[in-house]
Amino acid sequence: MRKVALFAVLAIFLMSCSETKRVTYLQKVESLPVEVLQQKSLLADPRIVPGDLLSISVGSDSPESVSIFNKLSSSGTTENAMTSSSVSDNSTYLVDNKGIIDFPIIGKLNVGGMTRTEAEEFIKSKIYPQYVKKEPTVTIRVENFKIAVLGEVKAPSIYNVPNERVSVLEAVAMAGDLQLTGRRDNVLLIRFKGDGSKEVARINLNDPNLLFSPYFYLQQNDILYVEPNKSKARTAYTVPPMLTLSLSILSTLLGITNIIVTLTR
C-alpha cells in the first residue's frame, strides 16, 4: 500500500514538473551568455499598408514656407512638426487600396509598402527643392496602429498601440495573459505585408531565444492566435446529433431485450 502511495505521489510530482515547463515563458533565459543578451532585438520600421491613417506634418525653421503642406487642425490653425505634436482627425491621411494618399499641393502619392522613414524621405523629395528653399522635416505617424490577440487568452480583442511599438510579450499582457489551456509553444502569428501578401509564423513563448526573433516585435495589423492544448480540445468535442440518436435507440433496444430475456427465463 505504501509503495502504491509513493508511486502516486511521484507521478503527481512528475506531472507537475511537466506542466510547469509548458506554462513558463522564456525558460532558462538567465542562462544565456551575457554577449547574447547584449544583442539588440530587431525592431522593424512599420510598413505602410492600405487602411492606415497617417499623420503627416512638415516642419521648418520658417513655418510659413511649409504651412501649405500641413492640413488644418480642428481649431483652424496649421499643424507642423515644429509647432505642435497633437493630431486631429482633420490632419490625417487615409491610405487607399492602392497605397495612395492625396497630399496638399503635390497631389497623389503612392506610399504603400514603404517604411515610415522611406515615406518621410519620399515626401521630402517632392517638396524640396521644388517648393521651398530650405530642406524641411517630415514626420509620419500611424494613428491606427493596432494588433489582434485571439484564442486562449483571458481578454481576446483588438488593441490600439499609440507608440507603434509592442512586443509579443506585451501583447500577451494586454490580453490578460494566456489561459492555462493555451499552448505557449506554438502561437500562430499572421502578418499582413505592405504589398498585400501575408506571412505566417509560429512563436514559442517558452523559448528564451524569442527575445532575438524577428517576430518578437509586432507590426501593424499583426494577429496572434493562441491554440488550445490537447485537454481543452478534448473537452470541446461534441457528439454528432445522429450518433447521439443512434446510441439512444441502441440503448433502448438493449433495455427491452434485457427485459424480454428476464421475463422468459
Side-chain angles (χ1 to χ4, degrees), residues 18-210:
S18 177
E19 288 302 316
T20 300
K21 288 182 179 180
R22 291 178 183 176
V23 301
T24 303
Y25 300 132
L26 305 179
Q27 295 174 20
K28 298 182 180 180
V29 66
E30 67 281 357
S31 65
L32 291 175
V34 175
E35 58 271 18
V36 173
L37 289 172
Q38 289 178 341
Q39 295 178 14
K40 293 184 179 180
S41 299
L42 180 62
L43 180 59
D45 194 359
R47 290 193 177 273
I48 298 170
V49 298
D52 279 354
L53 278 176
L54 305 181
S55 161
I56 305 176
S57 58
V58 181
S60 172
D61 52 7
S62 57
E64 298 80 9
S65 65
V66 296
S67 61
I68 56 174
F69 300 106
N70 290 293
K71 284 189 173 183
L72 292 177
S73 69
S74 56
S75 62
T77 58
T78 57
E79 295 184 349
N80 60 62
M82 302 293 291
T83 61
S84 174
S85 59
S86 63
V87 177
S88 69
D89 292 339
N90 293 329
S91 63
T92 55
Y93 300 83
L94 176 64
V95 182
D96 69 15
N97 291 334
K98 296 181 180 179
I100 294 174
I101 61 171
D102 192 1
F103 199 70
I105 306 302
I106 299 174
K108 305 290 184 181
L109 293 177
N110 192 340
V111 295
M114 295 184 181
T115 65
R116 285 188 311 161
T117 303
E118 291 169 347
E120 287 170 350
E121 292 300 319
F122 174 60
I123 294 174
K124 185 190 300 183
S125 70
K126 296 294 183 179
I127 296 174
Y128 172 81
Q130 182 175 354
Y131 294 101
V132 295
K133 296 180 179 179
K134 292 184 178 180
E135 186 175 2
T137 60
V138 177
T139 304
I140 297 178
R141 286 179 56 86
V142 180
E143 292 299 311
N144 61 338
F145 191 105
K146 62 185 181 297
I147 59 170
V149 188
L150 308 171
E152 294 298 304
V153 294
K154 294 178 181 176
S157 186
I158 296 174
Y159 294 94
N160 292 319
V161 184
N163 62 357
E164 304 177 28
R165 171 173 170 162
V166 60
S167 71
V168 63
L169 294 179
E170 289 171 325
V172 167
M174 291 166 68
D177 205 354
L178 272 65
Q179 304 276 10
L180 289 177
T181 52
R183 289 192 60 179
R184 287 151 174 78
D185 62 342
N186 198 33
V187 177
L188 175 65
L189 169 67
I190 303 174
R191 175 163 293 171
F192 297 86
K193 298 179 141 184
D195 59 1
S197 63
K198 302 171 186 63
E199 180 181 1
V200 176
R202 294 283 179 173
I203 297 173
N204 184 355
L205 299 179
N206 302 137
D207 186 359
N209 292 303
L210 171 64

Side-chain angles (χ1 to χ4, degrees), residues 152 181-183 227-238:
E152 294 298 304
T181 52
R183 289 192 60 179
E227 296 181 353
N229 58 23
K230 291 182 179 179
S231 61
K232 176 64 179 290
R234 283 195 296 266
T235 59
Y237 175 76
T238 57

